[in-house]
Amino acid sequence: MLADSAPEPARIDTSKPHPARMYDYYLGGKDHYTVDAEAAEQVLDYTPDARNFAHANRQFMHRSVRTLARDHGVRQFLDIGTGVPTQPNLHQVAQAEAPECRVVYADNDPIVLAHARALLQGTPEGRVAYVQADVREPAAILGSEEVRSTLDFDRPIALSLCALMHFVPDEHGAYEIVRELVGALPSGSFLTLSHGTVDFDPEAMACTQDVYVRARIPIQLRTGTDIARFFEGLDMLDPGLAVTHRWRPDADQPLADLTDAQAGFYGGVARKA
């Protein structure tokens, strides 16, 4: 079921691109505006595989959620930077494994809020809630009524930060934010994180970053070594930090034949002791 509180209306700013709506464009969705499509097409000029990046990342999210719900008994998920709801969404994957799963989504784009009640419907046994919030304010997310009334902080929680932290540069406290979020979780919780990288095509990625910067979207694509720092102090699940399409691939996985450069993101899952 959905959380009982009705979301407040919010104004959608269509004067500049938003990364959640650009991501929707890469995925072939319809919940974006001309300004988002134009910026995304500029990215595709430099990085034609950006659509593959998004699809491979989405599949990584699905596999990681199934792994945590099925193999590790996780029944609670906090997904920050959820983006425009795309079928199947995280709660649908989790509740397909265990209908009693509880999920809280958080995003700072009002268009996600506009879709929340219509699309984030869960099972009768579980619960789905949504909070409009910014990852750069972790205390506000952790202390929100939606989080506190939906998730039990005495039981393990899986924190999902997929395709998000490259939009938080070092000077905005990226590593400190993740440490604060993970630090608030109980023992036995998990961090799932995926992140764009400069490792495979630094020149194209530099041009891609420039598109976002010109659109006034903060961004910092990192090396694999720098991305691994987000997991410091946690126990990585096999195979560790991997290019997203190589993290526990399914036998019939779409995009399995991508090169690492065509997948473009690293992903990993780690447990808090």
Side-chain angles (χ1 to χ4, degrees):
M1 61 181 293
L2 192 70
D4 296 332
S5 57
E8 294 294 327
R11 188 179 72 85
I12 297 172
D13 184 357
T14 61
S15 67
K16 63 180 182 178
H18 190 283
R21 302 193 305 259
M22 291 174 67
Y23 189 75
D24 176 73
Y25 182 85
Y26 300 139
L27 289 173
K30 299 178 180 179
D31 295 303
H32 53 264
Y33 297 93
T34 300
V35 67
D36 307 302
E38 290 175 346
E41 283 293 337
Q42 291 177 45
V43 169
L44 289 164
D45 286 342
Y46 297 116
T47 310
D49 285 304
R51 287 191 175 94
N52 287 331
F53 293 3
H55 284 286
N57 177 72
R58 194 76 185 167
Q59 292 168 11
F60 162 75
M61 184 273 285
H62 292 165
R63 296 194 307 278
S64 65
V65 170
R66 284 199 301 269
T67 295
L68 292 177
R70 180 186 60 218
D71 300 338
H72 296 273
V74 176
R75 297 295 181 264
Q76 303 189 107
F77 295 82
L78 174 57
D79 180 22
I80 303 177
T82 180
V84 178
T86 303
Q87 306 287 343
N89 220 311
L90 187 151
H91 73 283
Q92 294 166 317
V93 177
Q95 292 179 347
E97 295 292 334
E100 68 273 22
C101 283
R102 294 181 163 226
V103 178
V104 178
Y105 292 104
D107 201 285
N108 69 345
D109 184 5
I111 198 171
V112 182
L113 177 64
H115 286 280
R117 293 196 68 82
L119 296 182
L120 302 185
Q121 297 290 338
T123 60
E125 301 94 331
R127 182 165 179 159
V128 184
Y130 176 81
V131 56
Q132 186 175 1
D134 193 311
V135 70
R136 292 170 296 182
E137 299 177 351
I141 295 174
L142 293 167
S144 68
E145 174 61 25
E146 293 85 353
V147 167
R148 289 295 167 176
S149 65
T150 305
L151 304 179
D152 179 357
F153 277 71
D154 291 326
R155 299 172 54 219
I157 297 169
L159 170 65
S160 177
L161 302 174
C162 286
L164 175 64
M165 294 311 297
H166 46 243
F167 295 116
V168 185
D170 288 351
E171 60 265 30
H172 293 174
Y175 295 104
E176 293 80 4
I177 287 168
V178 174
R179 281 197 294 269
E180 182 173 347
L181 289 166
V182 173
L185 303 180
S187 176
S189 293
F190 291 85
L191 169 65
T192 298
L193 184 145
S194 64
H195 195 297
T197 185
V198 296
D199 281 356
F200 306 119
D201 193 340
E203 183 177 349
M205 291 300 100
C207 293
T208 292
Q209 287 190 126
D210 188 55
V211 173
Y212 283 92
V213 170
R214 291 199 309 269
R216 293 173 290 164
I217 299 172
I219 189 168
Q220 182 176 347
L221 301 174
R222 296 179 171 92
T223 66
T225 299
D226 289 335
I227 295 167
R229 287 181 54 199
F230 287 109
F231 295 97
E232 286 181 354
L234 305 175
D235 299 323
M236 296 290 292
L237 300 188
D238 289 336
L241 187 68
V243 182
T244 48
H245 70 311
R246 300 188 187 281
W247 194 91
R248 302 194 180 190
D250 296 327
D252 58 348
Q253 177 178 306
L255 305 181
D257 58 348
L258 291 180
T259 66
D260 288 354
Q262 289 172 321
F265 278 42
Y266 285 112
V269 181
R271 183 180 184 275
K272 180 180 179 179

